[in-house]
Amino acid sequence: MADSVSYFLMAWLDPSLLMLTAIGTLAGIYVGAIPGLSVTMATSILISFTFSWDVNDALALIVGIYTGGVYGGSRTAILLNIPGAPSSVATSFDGYPLAQKGEAGQAIGLSTVMSVIGGLIGVGVLASVAPFLSDMALKFAPRDYFLIAALGLLLVGSLAAESLSRGIFAAAMGAVIGLVGLDQVTADPRFTMGSMQLMGGIHYVVVMIGMFGVAEAFFQLHQLNAKPLRQKVDKIVPSLHLVLKFLPLSIRTSVIGVIVGALPGTGGDIASLFAYDHAKRSVKHPSRPFGKGAYEGLVAPETANNAAVGGAYVPMLTLGMPGDAVTAIIIGALVVHGLNPGPMLMIQAPHIFWFTVGNLVLANLFLLIFGLTGIKVFAKVVELPKAILIPLIMVLCVVGSYSLNSSMTEVYWMLGFGLLGYFMKIFRFQMGPVILGVILGPLMDKTYRQAMSSVGNDTGSFLLSLVTNPLSLVLTTAVVLLLLSNTPLKRLLQRRRQA
Amino acid sequence: MSNEPRLKAGERAFNVLLLLLSLGVLYEAYQIAGFDLPNSPGAFPILLGLIMIASMIAILWGQRQHPKPDTQGALDETRQFLHEHFPLAIVVFLAMAIAYLFLLEFLGFIPATAIFLFVAQVYLRHGRLLASLIITAVATGIIYALFKLLFQVYLP
């Protein structure tokens, strides 16, 4: 217990960690707010620079950026009607109408306080649930990990993509990219096409920088001349009465946020849309009609997306499964530092868990401070012309991918993935399933082969084991239901019921 | 009149290319260990290849009733695709990005980055030479100081 407390307070008492968390949170707010920059892009570029750092320093900075970034998108959603991040799309539905009514300051203040409340509830759940889940996860068989990973890919495929087929294709393609190189067990080359350079595999950060950085930069070139409307911002700090009025709703939507965030593969973007939908259904008498400046429509997505941050850490720290794209990057950072995210992390490196929990609480407090101040400077920075921003993004992408192995090969790969990502975005394929596929593909390959070996390479016994163990049965049922819910069978049943 | 959304110019061709890519993945996966044991290094890749093919067929099958793009012939469709998704700004920026990568190998990080940032800004902002020059100098200096001195990473 004493150890846990000391690990929890590590970032609070060490001046350099304190400063890194503060810098990360402030930078995250700006990164999340500036349209064209995203938290995923920033963390994927940044991660390559922190490989040589101490693990605590790297985690402190990333936790700050993650927390600040998820919140930051709300500011531009309110002020400019441009969600700075996907998790703030729902915020703009009522945030911008509020700003048009001259209540931009109140909207920003309320979204800041609610984001902090959501963030702290998310961390609370992480601290209380993760140790138990971690103990449970020690009993999971390889087939269960395989099923959880498959469930995560199917979830992100069906929720993030336009159709499940597109999501599954993107995830499978990502998994193939993740498997390129020599097999870890037999050293057989896989998908190398005889190239020596591909023997070492394709670094997942290169894929991420290409698909989230370069592809987005190309996409932003379509909106070079878009001029945002400026809003007047007055009083920011919300009254206690206003905060207390929306507290019950924020607690409910925080729970939604944590649960959605904790599902492997789903993050703040999906959580905020679920929460907005919940608010619309459950609030009978909103302050104004939804879509026309209802405070409830602002509170719900903002609490949920920050609560999802704590939720996303749950599967990452207990199962080694990323809760979303950012935690997928953090998994990579932990592995580089010799740590093994998953159930053994709590035993081998408990300090990492409690350090992360303490750090997340700290980042939320910094969020409260930075969120309620400096709005005038902020308004100037977010109006940075895209013609300046896009070439800078390109340079940062080059630096980030080169620094992985000090090799130009990675830089060319990054540009190639950027172009592929641009084409995929044009034709409505999402990047999220590709990235999760890259991360989860090798894990699924490993656990599938372990599970198959454990039943003596007998396919029949393997399939039987998926339904004879209680946990595996639950997971298999979830996978099958998710698949069936996206087939014509569901529409057929609905039609029959209506008839 | 179909209620399905109209296909984008080039969408079907792109999906067919992805189907061919999926077939290539399956072929490459088979090359790893053939249809050997179920836990062979090629087993999961074969599964992935089959999943890619099945999902792409499902996508193409689902699109069979979508109205075709409002174009006349393949040439017109290609022209519309390029017009919509590769306007001059993107083509020029892509060319500048590729030139930047080549310049990095010949000139090194600082000169190549300064040239790229300056030229890209002048092009994208339609002039503004002095402002672009100042921003280029400040940005290159900050990036160099931040990454080389603070983060201590190797720059190209």
Side-chain angles (χ1 to χ4, degrees):
Chain A
M1 183 65 192
D3 279 350
S4 303
V5 174
S6 70
Y7 297 146
F8 179 92
L9 292 173
M10 205 189 280
W12 297 59
L13 303 175
D14 184 322
S16 69
L17 290 173
L18 197 71
M19 198 189 279
L20 279 168
T21 312
I23 292 171
T25 311
L26 185 63
I29 293 175
Y30 281 87
V31 164
I34 296 172
L37 292 182
S38 70
V39 190
T40 323
M41 183 199 287
T43 41
S44 53
I45 293 172
L46 193 74
I47 201 86
S48 48
F49 307 133
T50 60
F51 283 166
S52 58
W53 293 17
D54 180 78
V55 64
N56 291 344
D57 292 351
L59 288 179
L61 191 68
I62 292 167
V63 160
I65 288 188
Y66 189 14
T67 309
V70 169
Y71 156 80
S74 69
R75 284 192 164 185
T76 30
I78 293 166
L79 288 174
L80 313 173
N81 200 23
I82 306 168
S87 57
S88 303
V89 170
T91 309
S92 63
F93 298 162
D94 283 284
Y96 186 63
L98 274 168
Q100 284 177 310
K101 291 182 199 310
E103 295 174 36
Q106 278 292 303
I108 290 176
L110 190 65
S111 72
T112 306
V113 174
M114 289 304 167
S115 293
V116 173
I117 290 173
L120 291 175
I121 291 175
V123 185
V125 173
L126 168 70
S128 47
V129 169
F132 296 106
L133 192 61
S134 185
D135 279 347
M136 261 174 67
L138 283 170
K139 299 183 186 96
F140 286 10
R143 64 172 177 272
D144 300 324
Y145 279 98
F146 176 76
L147 287 167
I148 293 171
L151 190 63
L153 289 182
L154 284 175
L155 266 174
V156 75
S158 64
L159 294 173
E162 191 182 275
S163 70
L164 185 65
S165 309
R166 284 172 189 272
I168 290 179
F169 179 85
M173 193 177 84
V176 169
I177 297 169
L179 291 181
V180 172
L182 295 181
D183 174 34
Q184 299 274 321
V185 182
T186 61
D188 279 307
R190 299 198 284 188
F191 302 114
T192 56
M193 289 168 286
S195 161
M196 287 293 285
Q197 282 175 325
L198 285 174
M199 296 280 186
I202 297 171
H203 204 296
Y204 72 96
V205 174
V206 169
V207 187
M208 282 185 176
I209 296 178
M211 291 198 158
F212 284 107
V214 177
E216 188 58 38
F218 282 127
F219 232 78
Q220 294 291 329
L221 281 167
H222 285 283
Q223 300 147 15
L224 260 185
N225 301 318
K227 284 208 170 25
L229 294 165
R230 292 178 191 186
Q231 302 292 340
K232 192 170 155 273
V233 184
D234 43 20
K235 186 175 171 268
I236 273 202
V237 181
S239 66
L240 186 65
H241 167 73
L242 203 63
V243 174
L244 289 176
K245 187 180 166 192
F246 297 117
L247 196 60
L249 175 66
S250 70
I251 292 171
R252 290 203 309 273
T253 48
S254 293
V255 174
I256 293 174
V258 178
I259 293 170
V260 175
L263 293 172
T266 54
D269 42 353
I270 295 162
S272 60
L273 289 169
F274 273 15
Y276 186 82
D277 184 57
H278 167 77
K280 260 176 94 171
R281 285 165 193 267
S282 66
V283 179
K284 296 280 175 257
H285 305 288
S287 50
R288 289 193 189 99
F290 279 98
K292 293 188 175 163
Y295 276 108
E296 291 84 352
L298 183 76
V299 168
E302 275 311 298
T303 42
N305 62 21
N306 273 68
V309 173
Y313 270 92
V314 175
M316 186 203 106
L317 292 173
T318 57
L319 306 172
M321 303 260 179
D324 62 1
V326 180
T327 40
I329 300 167
I330 300 173
I331 284 185
L334 290 173
V335 171
V336 165
H337 286 97
L339 295 161
N340 190 15
M344 291 304 285
L345 186 81
M346 293 287 210
I347 297 161
Q348 291 168 343
H351 63 281
I352 291 293
F353 176 75
W354 289 110
F355 171 74
T356 304
V357 171
N359 210 209
L360 279 166
V361 175
L362 190 62
N364 273 289
L365 297 183
F366 279 125
L367 187 64
L368 191 65
I369 297 166
F370 296 136
L372 296 176
T373 53
I375 192 72
K376 293 233 158 67
V377 182
F378 177 87
K380 288 262 175 279
V381 175
V382 292
E383 286 168 14
L384 193 69
K386 284 189 177 156
I388 297 173
L389 196 64
I390 293 167
L392 284 174
I393 292 174
M394 194 68 207
V395 172
L396 292 177
C397 290
V398 168
V399 175
S401 45
Y402 180 84
S403 63
L404 287 169
N405 284 327
S406 301
S407 152
M408 282 302 286
T409 311
E410 263 74 19
V411 182
Y412 287 106
W413 271 116
M414 177 272 300
L415 189 63
F417 280 113
L419 274 175
L420 175 67
Y422 178 64
F423 273 100
M424 291 182 77
K425 270 175 90 102
I426 288 174
F427 296 118
R428 305 188 300 275
F429 286 89
Q430 293 290 317
M431 300 299 108
V434 182
I435 299 303
L436 282 166
V438 176
I439 302 285
L440 292 177
L443 182 110
M444 287 180 81
D445 176 54
K446 188 177 104 182
T447 50
Y448 162 76
R449 286 159 73 184
Q450 283 174 343
M452 203 47 113
S453 301
S454 70
V455 290
N457 259 329
D458 181 24
T459 311
S461 303
F462 171 73
L463 293 174
L464 200 63
S465 71
L466 298 181
V467 290
T468 46
N469 175 280
L471 177 66
S472 307
L473 179 63
V474 171
L475 292 168
T476 307
T477 311
V479 168
V480 172
L481 284 178
L482 197 60
L483 275 172
L484 287 180
S485 69
N486 285 278
T487 59
L489 189 73
K490 187 192 169 196
R491 285 197 290 274
L492 204 73
L493 285 172
Q494 276 175 339
R495 225 175 285 161
R496 190 166 289 179
R497 205 175 297 157
Q498 279 164 2
Chain B
M1 184 77 189
S2 169
N3 290 327
E4 304 288 355
R6 188 175 287 281
L7 286 174
K8 289 185 173 187
E11 187 164 4
R12 188 158 288 174
F14 182 70
N15 287 343
V16 170
L17 277 176
L18 289 183
L19 180 62
L20 292 175
L21 173 81
S22 310
L23 289 166
V25 165
L26 183 65
Y27 173 76
E28 279 292 320
Y30 178 75
Q31 294 297 311
I32 299 168
F35 292 115
D36 201 359
L37 292 169
N39 71 344
S40 74
F44 188 62
I46 286 176
L47 184 67
L48 289 175
L50 291 172
I51 289 172
M52 283 174 74
I53 292 168
S55 49
M56 196 37 78
I57 288 173
I59 292 168
L60 285 165
W61 180 258
Q63 285 179 339
R64 75 196 185 284
Q65 286 177 342
H66 289 221
K68 287 183 179 164
D70 196 11
T71 52
Q72 281 146 7
L75 194 68
D76 192 32
E77 192 172 336
T78 310
R79 202 176 293 136
Q80 190 179 328
F81 169 76
L82 292 174
H83 173 74
E84 278 176 13
H85 305 297
F86 284 90
L88 192 63
I90 291 185
V91 176
V92 173
F93 187 74
L94 177 62
M96 284 193 283
I98 294 169
Y100 173 46
L101 301 194
F102 282 115
L103 279 180
L104 278 171
E105 297 196 69
F106 293 111
L107 298 179
F109 183 73
I110 294 179
T113 302
I115 292 170
F116 170 71
L117 284 178
F118 179 70
V119 175
Q121 281 181 73
V122 168
Y123 173 71
L124 295 174
R125 301 182 81 191
H126 311 293
R128 303 203 186 190
L129 290 172
L130 188 64
S132 300
L133 198 65
I134 294 168
I135 292 167
T136 298
V138 173
T140 311
I142 290 175
I143 290 171
Y144 183 79
L146 195 69
F147 293 115
K148 186 77 182 172
L149 308 176
L150 190 70
F151 290 163
Q152 298 184 331
V153 298
Y154 291 105
L155 295 172

